[in-house]
Amino acid sequence: MGATTIVTATGPRNAPDAVDVVALGESMVTFLPSRPGRLADVPSFDRGIGGAESNVACALAAAGHAVRWVGRVGADGFGDHLIETIGSYGVDVTAVRRDPDRPTGVYFRTAGDRATDAHEVAYYRTGSAASAMSVDTVGLDAVRAGRVLHLTGITAALSADCLGLLRELTAPRPGRPLVSFDVNHRPRLWTDGNSPQVLLELARGADLVFVGEDEAAEVWGLDGVDAVRTALPDPEVLVVKQGALGATVFDRGRALHVPAPRVDVVAAVGAGDAFAAGFLSATLRGLPVRDCLRHGHLMAAAALTVPGDLAVPPSRDHADRLAALDDAAWGRLRLGPGWTHAEDRADEEVRTT
């Protein structure tokens, strides 16, 4: 299993605007607190960008891939900021459409870990330009002109039109790109109680699925990685993320678990998107499945060791060198803030406690 290459991302390559990956979904302007505390107490915020799909697009572009982000933003200053910022990572934003009648979504969050009860997020995305995405309001040719099409369950929760778009893109059809789907369950977005059925339907229509073990337990009541595979037999590749324990990939009837390196966490945001980007990057390069998981862990570690959602990834050579470590050395790996810039200092690559 360790030397097996997973599904090949072959997708359409003859179109004039073909790219490695197309990521479709809502991106928002995010306001990050200037200090810890309740939203009611934080006096000021720093502006950033947030959005699972655009996070993946930016990380993949920073890793050297040709990437397009497709979405809708308002004809407003926040829309300008999103397009300019995402484009600055090297992402193709020419297929992003502007909506003169609907605003760009924004949200505010506290500085704490999302997993704690103290964490607060205030979304202002109802009626946003992105919620009007549909088969009629996005350019489907641009969406399908990639080796990989990356989607998430977040988009499906935004509106009936958005769900219809995802159903269209995950429907089986000749010549479609490899469809990558991150379940990304956001309970607060699902007001109708249909998330279990809808997310299961969409995941079963994808070729490559990412889901957290705890997430699968929350949304589907599944216990353990084998139960997740039983519920999702259709995707050729299924990646079950297990937090600090690592991740398990199911590929053509086989399973492989790869532990995560130890990480000195700065902020537990953006790691899931970064993991997907690392795994997809290695997939596009045709690397063995073990290395795909390791590259996912390394990209996640880059995100975990910075305050925001997006991080500068390690150079490809640096990541390849770490991914090629033997099991014992990989097990001793510990990554802290600044590790992505330590490629010329071998003593910092493998640290033990």
Side-chain angles (χ1 to χ4, degrees), residues 225-250:
V225 296
D226 291 329
V228 179
R229 184 51 162 173
T230 299
L232 289 171
D234 304 281
E236 189 167 356
V237 176
L238 170 65
V239 180
V240 183
K241 299 172 290 183
Q242 298 167 274
L245 296 179
T248 298
V249 61
F250 293 89

Side-chain angles (χ1 to χ4, degrees), residues 10-343:
T10 54
R13 297 298 291 166
N14 296 323
D17 58 351
V19 294
D20 291 330
V21 178
V22 175
L24 176 144
E26 180 173 32
S27 189
M28 296 176 290
V29 173
T30 176
F31 290 93
L32 309 174
S34 57
R35 70 182 190 194
R38 302 183 311 153
L39 286 178
D41 301 326
V42 175
S44 60
F45 297 81
D46 295 319
R47 185 181 63 177
I49 64 171
E53 301 85 0
S54 58
N55 285 348
V56 171
C58 290
L60 282 167
H65 297 282
V67 188
R68 173 179 300 124
W69 170 57
V70 177
R72 287 173 59 82
V73 299
D76 50 32
F78 287 149
D80 293 341
H81 176 64
L82 285 174
I83 291 174
E84 292 166 7
T85 304
I86 294 170
S88 72
Y89 282 83
V91 176
D92 175 4
V93 293
T94 57
V96 178
R97 295 190 175 179
R98 309 299 294 264
D99 191 320
D101 301 315
R102 297 176 180 85
T104 303
V106 301
Y107 75 98
F108 297 76
R109 68 171 174 84
T110 52
D113 188 336
R114 286 176 178 162
T116 69
D117 292 337
H119 183 69
E120 296 175 75
V121 180
Y123 288 107
Y124 299 91
R125 72 196 307 178
T126 301
S128 69
S131 70
M133 287 189 295
S134 72
V135 293
D136 298 316
T137 61
V138 301
L140 293 181
D141 288 343
V143 171
R144 291 178 169 137
R147 296 168 63 190
V148 174
L149 171 59
H150 183 69
L151 309 168
T152 82
I154 296 172
T155 304
L158 298 181
S159 69
D161 282 342
C162 285
L163 174 55
L165 175 61
L166 259 62
R167 283 177 166 149
E168 167 66 20
L169 295 174
T170 55
R173 66 176 63 249
R176 80 173 191 182
L178 185 152
V179 175
S180 164
F181 181 72
D182 192 334
V183 171
N184 244 324
H185 182 229
R186 296 289 186 267
R188 291 179 58 183
L189 295 179
W190 292 92
T191 58
D192 57 10
N194 290 334
S195 62
Q197 299 91 334
V198 170
L199 293 172
L200 193 64
E201 170 200 342
L202 295 173
R204 286 174 171 170
D207 303 298
L208 166 59
V209 172
F210 300 96
V211 64
E213 184 177 20
D214 56 347
E215 184 178 39
E218 178 184 48
V219 67
W220 296 313
L222 301 174
D223 184 14
V225 296
D226 291 329
V228 179
R229 184 51 162 173
T230 299
L232 289 171
D234 304 281
E236 189 167 356
V237 176
L238 170 65
V239 180
V240 183
K241 299 172 290 183
Q242 298 167 274
L245 296 179
T248 298
V249 61
F250 293 89
D251 170 32
R252 299 179 179 91
R254 294 163 294 186
L256 175 69
H257 175 81
V258 172
R262 287 170 290 175
V263 178
D264 298 329
V265 176
V266 172
V269 294
D273 303 330
F275 180 94
F279 192 95
L280 288 172
S281 175
T283 299
L284 288 161
R285 297 169 59 202
L287 298 185
V289 66
R290 184 206 70 169
D291 290 0
C292 290
L293 285 173
R294 286 189 172 187
H295 276 275
H297 288 319
L298 291 170
M299 196 79 87
L304 288 168
T305 50
V306 298
D309 287 22
L310 292 169
V312 176
S315 70
R316 184 169 291 185
D317 287 345
H318 189 194
D320 283 346
R321 191 161 62 250
L322 293 180
L325 292 171
D326 61 39
D327 289 346
W330 177 262
R332 295 193 300 270
L333 191 61
R334 180 167 182 172
L335 304 171
W339 75 269
T340 59
H341 304 293
E343 56 188 295

